[in-house]
Structures are given as C-alpha cells and as structure tokens.
C-alpha cells in the first residue's frame, strides 16, 4: 500500500479541519475578508456573498471530515473539493502580486497542496 492510501484518513481529517476554518467568514464576514484579502465589504450584497461563500466552504470541510470515516463517499466529495480549491487557488494566483503578502496567497498554496494530495489518492485507488 502506498503512502497516500495508508494516510488518507489523516489527510482528510486535517484538510477538512483547515477548510472548516472558513466558518469564520460566515460568522464575521467583514473581519474575515479584511484579514484574508485586505479589503472591505462595501455593500449588503457583498456581505451576503461573503457569508454564503464562508458557509459553503465550511460545509465542504465537514464533508471532507465525513469522507475520512466513510470511504464510500470519497469520490464525489474529493471531486467537489478539488474543483472548489483549484478554482480558489487559480483565482488568487491570477491576481498576481495583489494578494502575495496576504493570507489569501498562503491559503491558495495550501489548497493546491490539498488538491495534489486528493488527486494523488484518487489516481492511486
């Protein structure tokens, strides 16, 4: 058995817990957006979108944790996580230097590591 297959439980648990940290954005969107991106939310609709995004990412983290315990659900959950994390990372990286010194850049890199681990697992199974 290769490394990823024998450690996928912990990879999913840790990745899921890290992803769940976005609950902060659902609960305190102005603070989270200012901290992560260095920008303020200027409108009520922006606040709603930020809350919604935080909640959706939080649920994605819960699903990653659940998939650690339920291997039969891993394929769709990992495909969803790969799409979401890859999308976020590419959008942040596409903005070049704008977010280089912000937590958004570190989050994008962490998401790329998770995408690589998830893809490795799916390829190995």
């Amino acid at each position: 058995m290769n490394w990823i297959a024998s450690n996928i439980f912990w990879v999913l648990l840790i990745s899921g817990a890290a992803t769940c940290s976005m609950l902060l954005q659902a609960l305190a969107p102005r603070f989270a957006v200012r901290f992560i991106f260095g920008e303020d939310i200027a409108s009520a609709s922006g606040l709603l979108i930020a809350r919604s995004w935080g909640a959706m990412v939080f649920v994605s983290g819960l699903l990653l944790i659940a998939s650690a315990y339920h291997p039969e659900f891993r394929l769709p959950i990992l495909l969803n996580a790969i799409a979401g994390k890859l999308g976020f990372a590419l959008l942040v990286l596409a903005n070049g230097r704008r977010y280089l010194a912000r937590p958004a850049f570190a989050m994008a890199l962490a998401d790329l590591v998770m995408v690589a681990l998830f893809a490795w697992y799916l390829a190995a199974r």
Side-chain angles (χ1 to χ4, degrees):
M1 187 184 297
N2 64 23
W3 183 89
I4 193 67
S6 61
N7 290 291
I8 193 62
F9 175 84
W10 293 108
V11 168
L12 292 170
L13 217 54
I14 292 166
S15 297
T19 303
C20 281
S21 70
M22 286 304 291
L23 178 62
L24 175 66
Q25 183 151 324
L27 300 176
R30 282 192 170 95
F31 169 78
V33 169
R34 195 174 315 111
F35 175 74
I36 295 168
F37 299 102
E39 299 178 13
D40 289 319
I41 299 174
S43 66
S45 60
L47 190 63
L48 176 68
I49 291 167
R51 279 188 195 277
S52 175
W53 178 54
M56 287 189 293
V57 174
F58 171 72
V59 170
S60 179
L62 290 178
L63 289 171
L64 286 170
I65 292 169
S67 73
Y69 294 97
H70 299 280
E72 65 274 17
F73 299 134
R74 285 184 187 157
L75 179 61
I77 291 170
L78 289 177
L79 291 175
N80 177 69
I82 288 170
K85 290 179 176 304
L86 192 56
F88 171 74
L90 292 177
L91 286 169
V92 169
L93 297 175
N95 276 280
R97 297 176 191 246
R98 181 175 187 162
Y99 301 120
L100 191 58
R102 305 294 319 170
F105 185 76
M107 291 168 67
L109 294 180
D111 277 355
L112 287 176
V113 169
M114 289 182 226
V115 164
L117 290 170
F118 299 161
W120 181 15
Y121 171 76
L122 290 176
R125 52 182 286 258

